[in-house]
Amino acid sequence: MSIDSVTPLNAGGWEAVIGLETHVELSTASKMFCGCRADIPEEPNTACCPVCLALPGALPVPNEQAIEGIVRIGTALGCEINETSLFYRKNYFYPDLPKNYQISQYTFPVAEHGALEIDVEGEPFTVGITRVHMEEDTGKSTHVGDGGGRIHDASHTLLDFNRAGVPLVEIVTEPDIRTPEQARAYGAELQRVVLALGVSDAKLEAGSMRFDANVSVRRPGEEFGTRTETKNVNSLRSLQRAVAFEIERQIAVLESGGTIVQETRHWNEDTGKTSSMRTKEESEDYRYFQDPDLLPLSVDETWRLRAVEALPELPGAARTRFRDAGVDPVNAETLLDNPALAALFTDAVAAGAPGRLVANWLTGEVIAQLRRDEVDVSDTSLSSSHLVELASMVDGGDLSSSAAKDVLTRAMAGEGTPRAIAEANDLLQVSDTGAIEEVVEQVLVDNPDALEKVRSGDMKPLGFLTGQVMRQMGGKADPKVVQQVLRAKTQGE
Amino acid sequence: MPVDIDIAKVANLARLALSEEELAAYGTQLEDILEHAERVQALPTDGVEPTSHPLPMVNGFRPDERTESLEPESFLSEAPDAEDGQFRVPRILE
Amino acid sequence: MADLADLTIAEAGRGLRAGDFTAVDLLDAVTKRATMTEAQLHAYLTLDSGGARAAAEKADADLASGDDHGPLHGIPVALKDNMVTKGVETTASSQILAGWKPPYDGTAVARLKAAGAVITGKTNLDEFAMGSSTENSAFGPSRNPWDHTRVPGGSSGGSAATVSVGSAFGSFGSDTGGSIRQPAALCGVVGMKPTYGMVSRYGLIAFASSLDQIGPFSRTVEDSALLLDAVAGWDRMDSTSIDGDVPAFSGSLSKGVEGLRIGLVTELMGEGIDPQVKAAVTAMADKLAGAGAEVIEVGLPASEYALSAYYLIAPAEASANLARFDGVRYGHRTEHLEGTTEDMMAMSRAEGFGPEVIRRILLGTYALSAGYYDAFYGQAQRVRTLMRNDFASAYEQVDVLISPTSPTTAFPVGERAADPIAMYYSDVCTIPSNLAGDPAISVPVGLDDQRLPIGFQIMAPALGEEVMYQVAAEVERLAGFTDRAPLATSEVVHP
């Protein structure tokens, strides 16, 4: 495979093989198979009904909007959407799983065979998508007792089923990923795709988007090594760290003559390590079979075409557009992660503002200000027309770039339009050549020594003279114009 | 095909705590029943699609609308053990 | 006037509206009948006297104020105890659910209440509807009203018995492999399984989801149609319920059979069928021919495999359906709590389920487990396709199919209890319709030489309830079966 030839190898010539499984909770109004609210209220067991509690006699009825959501995700990931897909029962006993089976998919998922193009520090990389399938979330267990919430030391457990039955989409990649950086970039790009589609809030810290990382190592060209599955990865940074740790751990085990055990491992954010979860007595046998309570899903051609037409601009296309507008790669990624800023950018550029400059403001002063005030851009008064006006003032020499930043923060604070702010605060730059000429002439008269030097070919005092002019003009002169005038006056006469 | 069942494994999958005597008795009964199923296995069914649903229907969706949830007391009062609005169970193995 | 408890639903409805008696009178009559018979029959697990009384009084008040809810208004109706009833103990005859008071009503229950029916109580069944004799009840067996030493059939034996003796005017059961039709046959009443999806399963404690259907017991075919009318139709809570208009089945009963083509199923008239049963079925086939139908023999070759396929499919689905009974959220929890939750679940389940349920859970778990799925469950689902194909070919030749309902009349208590395979054979004639999802009805056509009822089965294609009822009404007329189970004699318990 051509991938191998460009694959970065780890110390000792080991190659990592990584596949990611991502669970995304859809932000529908109601749960996957019942009408309880899907936004998981804090008060335990207040969003529960016979269906999501698995009371005897209750039956699941699929939420059409959730199916629409997964079709959108599958379409955005370039998957084939199966005309017919099937719900299965995945049978295993666990106290947070009310039916003691999870409704999921097995053969014939909603979508399969897609790909996601990602950007790893400026380099494009493609991750194959094996499948995208629909399932339901479990309830939440709280372990109570001496162990401070740790399962092994708990005396008993409390169960809250508010989350049980929330629609969950699982996205499984091919084992295409080779580095922790790629894993992270994939996670970030997938999150952006899901956010762009508006089907989930995709909050890693809140668990509405979660990663499981399958990691193995091998010598290039060899068969895949034994893999481990690492769970409890709840940030992009943890994803990168957990994968990196697991690669190093496996290499160390193998190089010391050991073997890798196929197991589930738990990422501990505090220690920065993965650890083996207590293994069950025997391997799981999920006894998948088609759920007789649910009919086959049929996504016909009309629906599939509608999903394609309804796709918003995806992050890959947006990245290209930003870069084509002159935005540097780092700022382009920042815009991709800030849809509200990206929207301002898009509108400003459409109205003729220079992309690079606007992007610099948005990803610089604007973000810094938002972070300081802990607000969203929509909470401020900043509009795209402000950006357009500001850019044209800088471009026209009415405002220095440092003054522009000041005006920008004032515009965010609602002090008015940039021009009004600049005028009110006396920040407008003087680029009227006549006014500048007057001051320049006076400065030259006051500094005959400097003038003499320049005239005799020593250009050093030019900077000093410029500074004098700027000082006398209270910093509001356009320095470019000042220099032009100085040159003309010293050379020409 | 002779039927040989690892009945202890099956009971564990089904989360049934059965005694050795019970396992042995159920094992024998299952083997008897499954021998009757052998004639079904002998039936040629190449190219026959399995039937999961008696009628050819699809989707059966509901709109994404909220309906009223139950009052927690209405089901917690039926629970074997409850605490602070939650179901209470002994410690969990894993 | 005859005892009110012996009226049909149709007759009772006319009397109520004529002011001859009240809904409370009807309830009193069936309550008295229950008092007379329950000690012998144990048809009811729960009599909801208070709830029934309130419902009857409301029915009378509504009718007095001109608010008529239709044919079931004020009619006492019993429900199999696997139908979930809000606030009324619902157990499916299992220790694992003993004492459970549901916080909701199933759809069929809610529709019956809306139709003005008076729910008398909950009837006995084989635990989780697994059985053909109502002997597998955790709360003790029911008995056959015609002979108390015999079983009423099952699994809906209690519902069949109540209608047979008049401790309810009508009742509902569930039919997964014959659990309505077989006990109806053994108790001498009409029992009907609708097309799969005709009646919502929401609130029916699941046994085998792709086979289960709720259906009515009644003393007449007309009553059967009235009961079905009240519960049939699409339900937003059941994804598998049929979306479409449902005709009023009670409107298709007097058309006769002239010109209809009727197929007697060859494979269901073979060796295992009791000669008296066979003779009664043949005699009725002749009468139908005499009434103008064209009666021919039709083959359903796959029915030879139906029983074996059924005993893989139903336990497989049941093994998952019954996983939710784990001692966590409701029902029985073991007292041995020294271990983990996993131990608690496994012990609660072993303690709470009876032997037949455990047997089927194990069987189903095995049939679905890795390495065996295709040989067992997958193959059974393909046999199901062959069964449907056979029915499809048969219905190209005929309008309905006929057969015995049960290979024998009521058998003695205990006779088959120790032999699961003999017990499973009780459903050999009824299972094919479940596998195909088609409607079928059992109508009593006579008694054998021990005065035990014989049931006659009429099967129709999916959504063929109208023609099925049309033929059933004619069978009922031709049979002229008016015998009633003898009411308890010397052992009468005084009210």
mmCIF file of all heavy atoms in Angstrom, chain C residues 122-155:
data_model
loop_
_atom_site.group_PDB
_atom_site.id
_atom_site.type_symbol
_atom_site.label_atom_id
_atom_site.label_comp_id
_atom_site.label_asym_id
_atom_site.label_seq_id
_atom_site.Cartn_x
_atom_site.Cartn_y
_atom_site.Cartn_z
ATOM 1 N N LYS C 122 -57.891 -9.899 35.691
ATOM 2 C CA LYS C 122 -56.788 -10.457 34.909
ATOM 3 C C LYS C 122 -56.803 -11.982 35.002
ATOM 4 O O LYS C 122 -56.944 -12.546 36.090
ATOM 5 C CB LYS C 122 -55.462 -9.918 35.466
ATOM 6 C CG LYS C 122 -55.406 -8.386 35.596
ATOM 7 C CD LYS C 122 -55.560 -7.649 34.278
ATOM 8 C CE LYS C 122 -54.347 -7.817 33.383
ATOM 9 N NZ LYS C 122 -53.166 -7.137 33.918
ATOM 10 N N THR C 123 -56.649 -12.614 33.850
ATOM 11 C CA THR C 123 -56.812 -14.072 33.807
ATOM 12 C C THR C 123 -55.474 -14.804 33.776
ATOM 13 O O THR C 123 -54.445 -14.277 33.356
ATOM 14 C CB THR C 123 -57.631 -14.480 32.582
ATOM 15 O OG1 THR C 123 -56.910 -14.114 31.400
ATOM 16 C CG2 THR C 123 -59.008 -13.806 32.579
ATOM 17 N N ASN C 124 -55.561 -16.054 34.182
ATOM 18 C CA ASN C 124 -54.390 -16.905 34.328
ATOM 19 C C ASN C 124 -53.836 -17.327 32.955
ATOM 20 O O ASN C 124 -54.562 -17.397 31.958
ATOM 21 C CB ASN C 124 -54.780 -18.151 35.131
ATOM 22 C CG ASN C 124 -53.591 -18.837 35.773
ATOM 23 O OD1 ASN C 124 -52.472 -18.335 35.754
ATOM 24 N ND2 ASN C 124 -53.836 -20.008 36.354
ATOM 25 N N LEU C 125 -52.550 -17.615 32.937
ATOM 26 C CA LEU C 125 -51.896 -18.030 31.692
ATOM 27 C C LEU C 125 -50.674 -18.876 32.041
ATOM 28 O O LEU C 125 -50.220 -18.891 33.186
ATOM 29 C CB LEU C 125 -51.454 -16.798 30.875
ATOM 30 C CG LEU C 125 -50.402 -15.874 31.499
ATOM 31 C CD1 LEU C 125 -49.520 -15.264 30.413
ATOM 32 C CD2 LEU C 125 -51.074 -14.763 32.296
ATOM 33 N N ASP C 126 -50.136 -19.552 31.058
ATOM 34 C CA ASP C 126 -48.826 -20.150 31.236
ATOM 35 C C ASP C 126 -47.850 -19.000 31.378
ATOM 36 O O ASP C 126 -47.942 -17.997 30.655
ATOM 37 C CB ASP C 126 -48.449 -20.987 30.005
ATOM 38 C CG ASP C 126 -49.237 -22.286 29.932
ATOM 39 O OD1 ASP C 126 -49.108 -23.114 30.844
ATOM 40 O OD2 ASP C 126 -49.995 -22.459 28.943
ATOM 41 N N GLU C 127 -46.888 -19.153 32.255
ATOM 42 C CA GLU C 127 -45.933 -18.081 32.560
ATOM 43 C C GLU C 127 -45.368 -17.490 31.263
ATOM 44 O O GLU C 127 -44.837 -18.205 30.416
ATOM 45 C CB GLU C 127 -44.798 -18.638 33.432
ATOM 46 C CG GLU C 127 -43.836 -17.560 33.891
ATOM 47 C CD GLU C 127 -42.750 -18.116 34.818
ATOM 48 O OE1 GLU C 127 -42.824 -19.290 35.222
ATOM 49 O OE2 GLU C 127 -41.813 -17.359 35.119
ATOM 50 N N PHE C 128 -45.517 -16.173 31.133
ATOM 51 C CA PHE C 128 -45.072 -15.447 29.939
ATOM 52 C C PHE C 128 -45.640 -16.047 28.649
ATOM 53 O O PHE C 128 -45.026 -15.950 27.588
ATOM 54 C CB PHE C 128 -43.535 -15.357 29.864
ATOM 55 C CG PHE C 128 -42.963 -14.373 30.843
ATOM 56 C CD1 PHE C 128 -42.312 -14.808 31.979
ATOM 57 C CD2 PHE C 128 -43.112 -13.013 30.655
ATOM 58 C CE1 PHE C 128 -41.816 -13.900 32.911
ATOM 59 C CE2 PHE C 128 -42.612 -12.098 31.573
ATOM 60 C CZ PHE C 128 -41.967 -12.541 32.711
ATOM 61 N N ALA C 129 -46.798 -16.667 28.765
ATOM 62 C CA ALA C 129 -47.517 -17.246 27.616
ATOM 63 C C ALA C 129 -46.781 -18.440 27.004
ATOM 64 O O ALA C 129 -47.028 -18.800 25.858
ATOM 65 C CB ALA C 129 -47.812 -16.185 26.550
ATOM 66 N N MET C 130 -45.892 -19.046 27.788
ATOM 67 C CA MET C 130 -45.133 -20.175 27.272
ATOM 68 C C MET C 130 -45.762 -21.482 27.748
ATOM 69 O O MET C 130 -45.469 -21.973 28.841
ATOM 70 C CB MET C 130 -43.687 -20.093 27.743
ATOM 71 C CG MET C 130 -42.959 -18.874 27.194
ATOM 72 S SD MET C 130 -41.286 -18.815 27.823
ATOM 73 C CE MET C 130 -40.734 -17.269 27.121
ATOM 74 N N GLY C 131 -46.616 -22.020 26.888
ATOM 75 C CA GLY C 131 -47.244 -23.281 27.240
ATOM 76 C C GLY C 131 -48.558 -23.438 26.522
ATOM 77 O O GLY C 131 -49.033 -22.514 25.840
ATOM 78 N N SER C 132 -49.149 -24.620 26.641
ATOM 79 C CA SER C 132 -50.379 -24.924 25.930
ATOM 80 C C SER C 132 -51.404 -25.530 26.868
ATOM 81 O O SER C 132 -52.305 -26.243 26.440
ATOM 82 C CB SER C 132 -50.082 -25.908 24.794
ATOM 83 O OG SER C 132 -49.004 -25.431 24.005
ATOM 84 N N SER C 133 -51.265 -25.260 28.168
ATOM 85 C CA SER C 133 -52.171 -25.908 29.120
ATOM 86 C C SER C 133 -52.518 -25.038 30.334
ATOM 87 O O SER C 133 -53.346 -25.419 31.140
ATOM 88 C CB SER C 133 -51.523 -27.203 29.629
ATOM 89 O OG SER C 133 -50.357 -26.890 30.402
ATOM 90 N N THR C 134 -51.879 -23.883 30.472
ATOM 91 C CA THR C 134 -52.044 -23.022 31.654
ATOM 92 C C THR C 134 -51.626 -23.756 32.929
ATOM 93 O O THR C 134 -52.022 -23.391 34.031
ATOM 94 C CB THR C 134 -53.481 -22.448 31.737
ATOM 95 O OG1 THR C 134 -53.865 -22.006 30.427
ATOM 96 C CG2 THR C 134 -53.562 -21.220 32.638
ATOM 97 N N GLU C 135 -50.843 -24.803 32.761
ATOM 98 C CA GLU C 135 -50.274 -25.461 33.943
ATOM 99 C C GLU C 135 -49.001 -24.763 34.405
ATOM 100 O O GLU C 135 -48.593 -24.900 35.548
ATOM 101 C CB GLU C 135 -49.938 -26.927 33.630
ATOM 102 C CG GLU C 135 -51.156 -27.800 33.427
ATOM 103 C CD GLU C 135 -50.764 -29.159 32.857
ATOM 104 O OE1 GLU C 135 -50.414 -29.216 31.658
ATOM 105 O OE2 GLU C 135 -50.819 -30.155 33.592
ATOM 106 N N ASN C 136 -48.340 -24.048 33.472
ATOM 107 C CA ASN C 136 -47.076 -23.395 33.822
ATOM 108 C C ASN C 136 -47.285 -22.034 34.460
ATOM 109 O O ASN C 136 -46.554 -21.100 34.184
ATOM 110 C CB ASN C 136 -46.217 -23.158 32.565
ATOM 111 C CG ASN C 136 -45.825 -24.433 31.870
ATOM 112 O OD1 ASN C 136 -45.741 -25.480 32.505
ATOM 113 N ND2 ASN C 136 -45.602 -24.358 30.571
ATOM 114 N N SER C 137 -48.327 -21.890 35.259
ATOM 115 C CA SER C 137 -48.517 -20.608 35.939
ATOM 116 C C SER C 137 -47.862 -20.684 37.306
ATOM 117 O O SER C 137 -48.030 -21.673 38.024
ATOM 118 C CB SER C 137 -50.008 -20.321 36.098
ATOM 119 O OG SER C 137 -50.205 -19.248 36.995
ATOM 120 N N ALA C 138 -47.147 -19.614 37.649
ATOM 121 C CA ALA C 138 -46.502 -19.587 38.968
ATOM 122 C C ALA C 138 -47.538 -19.551 40.076
ATOM 123 O O ALA C 138 -47.220 -19.809 41.235
ATOM 124 C CB ALA C 138 -45.595 -18.378 39.077
ATOM 125 N N PHE C 139 -48.789 -19.235 39.698
ATOM 126 C CA PHE C 139 -49.820 -19.089 40.722
ATOM 127 C C PHE C 139 -50.828 -20.231 40.685
ATOM 128 O O PHE C 139 -51.936 -20.106 41.175
ATOM 129 C CB PHE C 139 -50.496 -17.720 40.578
ATOM 130 C CG PHE C 139 -49.477 -16.610 40.524
ATOM 131 C CD1 PHE C 139 -49.255 -15.896 39.353
ATOM 132 C CD2 PHE C 139 -48.692 -16.318 41.632
ATOM 133 C CE1 PHE C 139 -48.293 -14.893 39.305
ATOM 134 C CE2 PHE C 139 -47.719 -15.312 41.588
ATOM 135 C CZ PHE C 139 -47.518 -14.608 40.425
ATOM 136 N N GLY C 140 -50.430 -21.341 40.093
ATOM 137 C CA GLY C 140 -51.282 -22.526 40.046
ATOM 138 C C GLY C 140 -52.038 -22.634 38.743
ATOM 139 O O GLY C 140 -52.333 -21.617 38.100
ATOM 140 N N PRO C 141 -52.350 -23.846 38.307
ATOM 141 C CA PRO C 141 -52.980 -24.060 37.004
ATOM 142 C C PRO C 141 -54.452 -23.658 36.986
ATOM 143 O O PRO C 141 -55.087 -23.551 38.027
ATOM 144 C CB PRO C 141 -52.845 -25.572 36.803
ATOM 145 C CG PRO C 141 -52.783 -26.143 38.178
ATOM 146 C CD PRO C 141 -52.079 -25.111 39.016
ATOM 147 N N SER C 142 -54.953 -23.447 35.784
ATOM 148 C CA SER C 142 -56.400 -23.316 35.591
ATOM 149 C C SER C 142 -56.936 -24.678 35.139
ATOM 150 O O SER C 142 -56.175 -25.543 34.697
ATOM 151 C CB SER C 142 -56.711 -22.272 34.517
ATOM 152 O OG SER C 142 -56.280 -21.002 34.934
ATOM 153 N N ARG C 143 -58.248 -24.842 35.246
ATOM 154 C CA ARG C 143 -58.869 -26.116 34.859
ATOM 155 C C ARG C 143 -59.891 -25.890 33.746
ATOM 156 O O ARG C 143 -60.430 -24.807 33.593
ATOM 157 C CB ARG C 143 -59.579 -26.752 36.070
ATOM 158 C CG ARG C 143 -58.662 -27.025 37.256
ATOM 159 C CD ARG C 143 -57.572 -28.021 36.893
ATOM 160 N NE ARG C 143 -56.650 -28.243 38.006
ATOM 161 C CZ ARG C 143 -56.539 -29.413 38.645
ATOM 162 N NH1 ARG C 143 -57.282 -30.453 38.287
ATOM 163 N NH2 ARG C 143 -55.690 -29.521 39.629
ATOM 164 N N ASN C 144 -60.190 -26.974 33.050
ATOM 165 C CA ASN C 144 -61.146 -26.887 31.952
ATOM 166 C C ASN C 144 -62.570 -26.918 32.492
ATOM 167 O O ASN C 144 -62.920 -27.806 33.264
ATOM 168 C CB ASN C 144 -60.919 -28.069 30.996
ATOM 169 C CG ASN C 144 -61.696 -27.892 29.701
ATOM 170 O OD1 ASN C 144 -62.916 -27.715 29.717
ATOM 171 N ND2 ASN C 144 -60.976 -27.912 28.584
ATOM 172 N N PRO C 145 -63.400 -25.952 32.105
ATOM 173 C CA PRO C 145 -64.771 -25.900 32.626
ATOM 174 C C PRO C 145 -65.583 -27.150 32.287
ATOM 175 O O PRO C 145 -66.534 -27.481 32.996
ATOM 176 C CB PRO C 145 -65.375 -24.680 31.933
ATOM 177 C CG PRO C 145 -64.211 -23.861 31.492
ATOM 178 C CD PRO C 145 -63.102 -24.818 31.219
ATOM 179 N N TRP C 146 -65.247 -27.848 31.207
ATOM 180 C CA TRP C 146 -66.020 -29.025 30.788
ATOM 181 C C TRP C 146 -65.626 -30.262 31.590
ATOM 182 O O TRP C 146 -66.377 -31.218 31.664
ATOM 183 C CB TRP C 146 -65.813 -29.299 29.290
ATOM 184 C CG TRP C 146 -66.345 -28.191 28.428
ATOM 185 C CD1 TRP C 146 -65.767 -27.002 28.182
ATOM 186 C CD2 TRP C 146 -67.599 -28.179 27.751
ATOM 187 N NE1 TRP C 146 -66.558 -26.237 27.371
ATOM 188 C CE2 TRP C 146 -67.691 -26.941 27.083
ATOM 189 C CE3 TRP C 146 -68.660 -29.112 27.629
ATOM 190 C CZ2 TRP C 146 -68.795 -26.595 26.306
ATOM 191 C CZ3 TRP C 146 -69.755 -28.764 26.843
ATOM 192 C CH2 TRP C 146 -69.826 -27.511 26.199
ATOM 193 N N ASP C 147 -64.451 -30.249 32.163
ATOM 194 C CA ASP C 147 -63.960 -31.397 32.942
ATOM 195 C C ASP C 147 -62.796 -30.884 33.790
ATOM 196 O O ASP C 147 -61.720 -30.593 33.263
ATOM 197 C CB ASP C 147 -63.496 -32.513 31.991
ATOM 198 C CG ASP C 147 -62.940 -33.712 32.758
ATOM 199 O OD1 ASP C 147 -62.666 -33.583 33.974
ATOM 200 O OD2 ASP C 147 -62.785 -34.773 32.123
ATOM 201 N N HIS C 148 -63.047 -30.786 35.067
ATOM 202 C CA HIS C 148 -62.060 -30.133 35.940
ATOM 203 C C HIS C 148 -60.780 -30.925 36.109
ATOM 204 O O HIS C 148 -59.822 -30.425 36.693
ATOM 205 C CB HIS C 148 -62.676 -29.841 37.313
ATOM 206 C CG HIS C 148 -63.832 -28.892 37.228
ATOM 207 N ND1 HIS C 148 -64.758 -28.733 38.228
ATOM 208 C CD2 HIS C 148 -64.234 -28.061 36.231
ATOM 209 C CE1 HIS C 148 -65.663 -27.849 37.858
ATOM 210 N NE2 HIS C 148 -65.373 -27.425 36.644
ATOM 211 N N THR C 149 -60.735 -32.151 35.604
ATOM 212 C CA THR C 149 -59.496 -32.916 35.669
ATOM 213 C C THR C 149 -58.627 -32.635 34.452
ATOM 214 O O THR C 149 -57.543 -33.185 34.309
ATOM 215 C CB THR C 149 -59.764 -34.427 35.739
ATOM 216 O OG1 THR C 149 -60.297 -34.857 34.475
ATOM 217 C CG2 THR C 149 -60.728 -34.758 36.864
ATOM 218 N N ARG C 150 -59.143 -31.815 33.555
ATOM 219 C CA ARG C 150 -58.424 -31.548 32.304
ATOM 220 C C ARG C 150 -57.977 -30.089 32.223
ATOM 221 O O ARG C 150 -58.502 -29.231 32.928
ATOM 222 C CB ARG C 150 -59.312 -31.904 31.104
ATOM 223 C CG ARG C 150 -59.538 -33.399 30.994
ATOM 224 C CD ARG C 150 -60.525 -33.773 29.916
ATOM 225 N NE ARG C 150 -60.776 -35.221 29.981
ATOM 226 C CZ ARG C 150 -60.077 -36.127 29.283
ATOM 227 N NH1 ARG C 150 -59.132 -35.750 28.450
ATOM 228 N NH2 ARG C 150 -60.344 -37.416 29.417
ATOM 229 N N VAL C 151 -57.017 -29.866 31.325
ATOM 230 C CA VAL C 151 -56.492 -28.504 31.151
ATOM 231 C C VAL C 151 -57.430 -27.698 30.260
ATOM 232 O O VAL C 151 -58.144 -28.269 29.422
ATOM 233 C CB VAL C 151 -55.078 -28.526 30.529
ATOM 234 C CG1 VAL C 151 -54.108 -29.356 31.373
ATOM 235 C CG2 VAL C 151 -55.117 -29.029 29.091
ATOM 236 N N PRO C 152 -57.428 -26.381 30.419
ATOM 237 C CA PRO C 152 -58.233 -25.522 29.531
ATOM 238 C C PRO C 152 -57.503 -25.198 28.233
ATOM 239 O O PRO C 152 -58.004 -24.434 27.414
ATOM 240 C CB PRO C 152 -58.422 -24.271 30.377
ATOM 241 C CG PRO C 152 -57.179 -24.188 31.200
ATOM 242 C CD PRO C 152 -56.762 -25.624 31.485
ATOM 243 N N GLY C 153 -56.316 -25.755 28.064
ATOM 244 C CA GLY C 153 -55.461 -25.314 26.962
ATOM 245 C C GLY C 153 -54.696 -24.075 27.391
ATOM 246 O O GLY C 153 -54.841 -23.587 28.514
ATOM 247 N N GLY C 154 -53.869 -23.586 26.485
ATOM 248 C CA GLY C 154 -53.081 -22.415 26.861
ATOM 249 C C GLY C 154 -52.359 -21.857 25.660
ATOM 250 O O GLY C 154 -52.481 -22.386 24.566
ATOM 251 N N SER C 155 -51.727 -20.790 25.857
ATOM 252 C CA SER C 155 -51.455 -20.229 27.160
ATOM 253 C C SER C 155 -52.587 -19.374 27.736
ATOM 254 O O SER C 155 -52.601 -19.123 28.938
ATOM 255 C CB SER C 155 -50.200 -19.349 27.070
ATOM 256 O OG SER C 155 -50.410 -18.257 26.200
#
